[in-house]
Amino acid sequence: GSVGAAMALQFFFQKAVRCALALAQPYFPSRAVLISHVVGLARDAGVVPSVVVVGERGNAGGGAAEFCREVGVEAVLWGRAETGSPEVLATLNQFDVVLNCIGTDEVGPPFLREADLAVGRLSVLADVTCDVGSPVHRFPFYSRITTFDDPVLAVGPADAPVHVLAIDHLTTWLPAEASALIAEPLFAPLQELLPPELLPAGLP
């Protein structure tokens, strides 16, 4: 969620200064460096986007909201109440940036349709969930994931496209921290599986 928010904000600020949309570098050594990068882009652009995090109660949604706060952007947080209300959901295209972090197995109506992209102010959609190809995919106007080399799809009106970010391995933009996050909960069970003679010296 944090990385999805960082990438989406980067692309929004790049669009604001009419810069080519591309990832600044293949990865960042730390979250602090990534935050500094996005803060610098925000300062250069001189604009503050309106951002909504859809699925704010999950790990990805919480991470996205926290990252936004860390770079000075206060995101609006949506959960089931908002996505379950047709009236509220109809306002989704009124945000500059949408961060979709919802995790669900339920098939439901689209959150946005292609016709919605021609009105409103939506500039960047980061589909962190990446349910492309699944029956629960809520954004039917795009049908393939994106990559670090080709990170966004332009959809909607040709003169004012919405750029969709749908990378399914976002965490590799922060490889060291992502590795530590994954490894830490696995370490204790692995210690129990390994015979004592194979454990590194000095471990309890």
Side-chain angles (χ1 to χ4, degrees), residues 15-28:
K15 290 180 73 171
V17 297
R18 300 184 182 279
C19 178
L21 303 190
L23 297 181
Q25 55 195 72
Y27 68 89
F28 283 82

Side-chain angles (χ1 to χ4, degrees), residues 11-200:
F11 292 135
F12 175 82
F13 295 133
Q14 286 178 335
K15 290 180 73 171
V17 297
R18 300 184 182 279
C19 178
L21 303 190
L23 297 181
Q25 55 195 72
Y27 68 89
F28 283 82
S30 71
R31 183 186 181 92
V33 175
L34 179 56
I35 289 172
S36 178
H37 167 68
V38 175
V39 168
L41 292 174
R43 182 175 56 248
D44 293 342
V47 293
V48 178
S50 59
V51 179
V52 60
V53 177
V54 182
E56 45 91 12
R57 291 195 177 188
N59 289 335
E66 181 181 3
F67 188 90
C68 287
R69 286 192 295 270
E70 289 175 312
V71 298
V73 175
E74 196 63 36
V76 174
L77 307 180
W78 280 15
R80 285 182 176 271
E82 290 78 12
T83 58
S85 166
E87 293 77 16
V88 176
L89 195 58
T91 68
L92 191 59
N93 61 352
Q94 300 304 313
F95 293 92
D96 295 312
V97 177
V98 171
L99 305 174
N100 179 51
C101 301
I102 194 167
T104 181
D105 295 326
E106 299 175 6
V107 177
F111 287 164
L112 285 169
R113 295 176 173 84
E114 188 164 7
D116 299 323
L117 307 182
V119 294
R121 57 188 296 174
L122 182 60
S123 177
V124 178
L125 164 65
D127 192 4
V128 177
T129 303
C130 273
D131 280 327
V132 182
S134 162
V136 301
H137 182 45
R138 299 297 181 92
F139 303 95
F141 47 81
Y142 87 93
S143 58
R144 69 172 178 86
I145 62 170
T146 60
T147 67
F148 276 41
D149 291 332
D150 185 19
V152 290
L153 294 168
V155 298
D159 59 339
V162 174
H163 286 88
V164 177
L165 164 69
I167 296 175
D168 63 2
H169 53 289
L170 286 169
T171 52
T172 56
W173 220 30
L174 282 176
E177 295 187 21
S179 297
L181 188 66
I182 293 170
E184 186 174 350
L186 294 175
F187 188 61
L190 286 175
Q191 281 184 271
E192 296 176 5
L193 293 174
L194 289 173
E197 62 271 17
L198 293 181
L199 291 174

